Amino acid sequence: MRFDKDEAETKMVLSRRSFLAGSAGLSAVSVMPADATEADMELVIGLASMPMALDPHFYVLAANSSMAANVFDCLVVQDAQQNICPCLAIHWKMRSSNEWIFTLRPDARFSNGQPVTAADVVASISRVRRVAVGSLSSFVPYVEAITSVEADGPDTVKIRTASAAPLLLRNLSRIAIVSAEQADLSTDAFNRCPAILSSGPYAYAGWTAGESVRLCVNPYYWGRTPDWHRVRFVGLPDDRARSSALLSGDVDVIDGLPTENAAAFKQYPDINVASAPGSRILYLDPDVSREVSPFASDSAGRNPLTIAAVREALSLSIDRASLVTHIMDGQGVAAGQLVLPGYPGYVSSLGSDPYDPSRARSILSEHGLDTGFNLTLHASNDRYPNDSMLAQAIGEMFSHVGVNIQVVTMPASVLFSRASRREFSLIMGAANCETGEASSVIGPLLHSYGASGGQGNRGRYSNSALDRALSDAASESDEQLRQLRLEEAMKIGMTDRGVIPVVFFNTIWASRLGVRVVPRMDGYTLAQNVERS
């Protein structure tokens, strides 16, 4: 890959004709009758990634969580900037350092008119542990601190934790509240349930796995009635097809607008583009624990990725500024840690590693790798913005410092399933800052793998000091001290290069004239955040 490619090679032709010609054969996904009333109109949203399950407690995946947030409320929620706000709970207080009392709003109703009660909250929180079996990434870490949850009357919930749990509110913003009568369902039964009861602004009206999700407004919702009474999400993973569908009027909104299209779309008077800095971090995850690894070996057959200095050399060989400019079309930020400025746990003194291939080669030489080593980078080709191009570009940068690199890309569903079985030595992945603070990224990626964390730690990095700092942060009530513990954990993980941060993605949406998307830093595409303009 060359970084000084001609415009003809790297940019889409800016005319609509080119887009529509490229979408020949794309079937229409929405045909609106000419006499449809505004209340009857259906909002159609083209998604880059569809949910893998409707069960909101089974699998921590951005596409799953985003869809669930349209349908289910939580006790508290995160706003567009990931600040905590009241939702089903209108008030909470701490009776002691490990006992919380939540008061539910009296007007909350499920989509069948049934009140949302404390019993539903208890059943929902208790359900998380039951459905975790078989999940590649369960919600258990969000409820792990909870030792008991009980109803204290119909509108009061009492939650006890093992010790002080200052992150409880942020963790509870990830736990959807379902009906107690459906909480006993298995994930498979929940996904097949003909009438899933909704506690949020919308209710499920139909699902074809991998293809479409239909929603209808919850008539009993306590909050503002959304602008759209009916919504259809359709899966359009191909970037060009998704863009073409918007330009041809087949959909009203698309998420994951290809970065190369953002500037072009802003020139169209009947297209709106909305973007925001995103909390999703693209990173490299090296196998740091096995002396012999399937796709990383030196001349003696050993895995060089177990050496922190070698991981540093790989990081120094990455020209992050060029990736942002030439691959991401400016729609990203170079990353030196796992959260953006302003998030709890961000370390102001930690910048991204400079691009220094000379130093990288010297480090490799110092460790007997003058002739490089064999390495394969495995990455997705259908999950993140420009993921395949980013992987190829990173691979070329590695080759410039002497690494004998191969880059293999595949569908994300295949990549992460195989990666969870530890079939690879270096993968490219991405993670959202789900709770709006650093432990929600450090914990899954860098905490020692086991029941208490590290569920996404495929490289099996382990550092007891990092684990201890995270544990201390989780029980530290003093906000300043908690920030220091999170910063400590971040410094340890980044100094060790337990994972190698690369870039933060901007989140980008496009919509037709008359439709406005309120952008969110978590990248969630919520129908209730799509307004008529």
Side-chain angles (χ1 to χ4, degrees):
M1 176 171 295
R2 291 179 289 119
F3 293 98
D4 55 349
K5 293 181 286 188
D6 293 333
E7 284 291 302
E9 290 179 272
T10 60
K11 301 296 181 186
M12 298 181 67
V13 177
L14 302 188
S15 68
R16 288 173 180 247
R17 183 173 299 173
S18 295
F19 277 111
L20 298 179
S23 63
L26 178 69
S27 60
V29 295
S30 175
V31 179
M32 191 63 61
D35 60 349
T37 65
E38 194 168 56
D40 290 334
M41 287 180 64
E42 180 181 58
L43 175 71
V44 184
I45 301 176
L47 295 180
S49 297
M50 291 294 286
M52 297 176 63
L54 300 187
D55 184 340
H57 300 144
F58 179 63
Y59 186 8
V60 179
L61 184 72
N64 291 355
S65 298
S66 177
M67 186 60 66
N70 289 277
V71 176
F72 303 103
D73 273 346
C74 306
L75 284 176
V76 295
V77 293
Q78 299 176 35
D79 65 13
Q81 287 74 44
Q82 296 193 264
N83 300 308
I84 295 298
C85 302
C87 190
L88 291 177
I90 54 174
H91 181 261
W92 52 87
K93 64 181 179 180
M94 296 178 64
R95 279 187 179 166
S96 65
S97 63
N98 67 332
E99 183 175 282
W100 296 65
I101 304 297
F102 293 85
T103 303
L104 305 185
R105 60 175 61 253
D107 53 346
R109 297 285 187 275
F110 285 104
S111 47
N112 64 350
Q114 171 184 314
V116 178
T117 68
D120 301 305
V121 176
V122 171
S124 298
I125 295 174
S126 301
R127 182 175 188 267
V128 172
R129 287 185 171 91
R130 293 201 305 275
V131 302
V133 178
S135 173
L136 293 176
S137 181
S138 82
F139 283 79
V140 168
Y142 299 117
V143 300
E144 190 172 30
I146 297 175
T147 57
S148 68
V149 53
E150 58 188 74
D152 191 10
D155 62 350
T156 305
V157 178
K158 182 190 301 181
I159 295 179
R160 290 190 179 94
T161 58
S163 58
L167 298 180
L168 183 66
L169 290 179
R170 289 190 177 275
N171 288 336
L172 290 175
S173 74
R174 305 287 293 124
I175 306 301
I177 303 304
V178 302
S179 168
E181 66 190 69
Q182 295 182 339
D184 289 334
L185 296 175
S186 67
T187 291
D188 185 58
F190 198 99
N191 291 338
R192 292 185 288 104
C193 183
I196 297 173
L197 295 181
S198 159
S199 57
Y202 286 99
Y204 285 121
W207 180 43
T208 302
E211 295 182 12
S212 67
V213 176
R214 290 185 292 113
L215 307 180
C216 61
V217 74
N218 175 0
Y220 300 99
Y221 184 56
W222 60 268
R224 183 184 72 86
T225 300
D227 286 3
W228 312 92
H229 286 217
R230 293 181 295 122
V231 181
R232 184 148 46 107
F233 292 91
V234 294
L236 294 171
D238 181 79
D239 288 347
R240 191 176 184 91
R242 197 165 61 256
S243 299
S244 298
L246 178 67
L247 292 176
S248 63
D250 287 338
V251 300
D252 304 303
V253 175
I254 61 173
D255 69 359
L257 177 67
T259 58
E260 61 185 10
N261 296 1
F265 275 34
K266 289 179 180 179
Q267 305 305 312
Y268 297 148
D270 52 354
I271 296 292
N272 295 319
V273 175
S275 65
S279 64
R280 178 180 279 184
I281 174 75
L282 184 81
Y283 62 90
L284 302 181
D285 194 350
D287 178 359
V288 304
S289 66
R290 293 181 291 185
E291 290 298 324
V292 177
S293 193
F295 290 99
S297 62
D298 61 15
S299 59
R302 295 178 298 241
N303 173 19
L305 299 177
T306 61
I307 304 170
V310 172
R311 303 194 295 271
E312 179 187 6
L314 292 180
S315 184
L316 291 169
S317 72
I318 300 173
D319 187 347
R320 292 167 174 81
S322 286
L323 294 179
V324 170
T325 300
H326 297 286
I327 305 299
M328 298 300 298
D329 300 284
Q331 296 292 333
V333 178
Q337 53 190 297
L338 300 179
V339 294
L340 288 162
Y343 281 72
Y346 175 81
V347 182
S348 58
S349 61
L350 271 181
S352 59
D353 280 332
Y355 175 50
D356 193 344
S358 177
R359 175 61 183 150
R361 284 188 290 268
S362 295
I363 292 174
L364 294 179
S365 178
E366 291 166 9
H367 288 81
L369 299 170
D370 306 71
T371 58
F373 61 94
N374 298 320
L375 180 65
T376 300
L377 169 61
H378 287 88
S380 62
N381 55 20
D382 62 354
R383 174 59 62 82
Y384 312 119
N386 307 320
D387 49 4
S388 182
M389 288 193 296
L390 284 164
Q392 295 292 342
I394 291 169
E396 181 167 330
M397 291 171 182
F398 287 168
S399 73
H400 290 164
V401 299
V403 178
N404 305 315
I405 185 74
Q406 287 189 325
V407 176
V408 177
T409 66
M410 61 190 69
S413 58
V414 177
L415 174 76
F416 294 116
S417 177
R418 294 182 61 187
S420 295
R421 298 193 296 267
R422 304 202 68 200
E423 295 183 16
F424 305 135
S425 299
L426 181 68
I427 70 162
M428 188 177 79
N432 274 8
C433 187
E434 299 285 0
T435 62
E437 50 78 38
S439 70
S440 67
V441 190
I442 303 174
L445 298 186
L446 293 173
H447 189 284
S448 297
Y449 181 80
S452 59
Q455 290 189 318
N457 183 351
R458 299 182 178 93
R460 299 301 192 264
Y461 170 80
S462 181
N463 187 307
S464 59
L466 183 147
D467 295 348
R468 188 166 51 252
L470 275 182
S471 177
D472 290 346
S475 59
E476 179 54 70
S477 298
D478 184 282
E479 187 172 343
Q480 289 186 332
L481 291 178
R482 185 167 67 251
Q483 170 73 11
L484 290 175
R485 298 290 84 77
L486 288 174
E487 289 184 17
E488 180 184 353
M490 184 72 78
K491 288 176 184 177
I492 293 169
M494 297 301 95
T495 300
D496 285 350
R497 276 83 176 182
V499 295
I500 300 171
V502 182
V503 296
F504 290 99
F505 294 117
N506 283 8
T507 54
I508 319 173
W509 295 262
S511 58
R512 65 173 175 81
L513 191 66
V515 177
R516 187 178 77 90
V517 177
V518 179
R520 295 179 58 90
M521 292 188 73
D522 57 19
Y524 288 0
T525 299
L526 307 183
Q528 59 267 36
N529 279 16
V530 180
E531 302 173 347
R532 300 182 192 275
S533 61

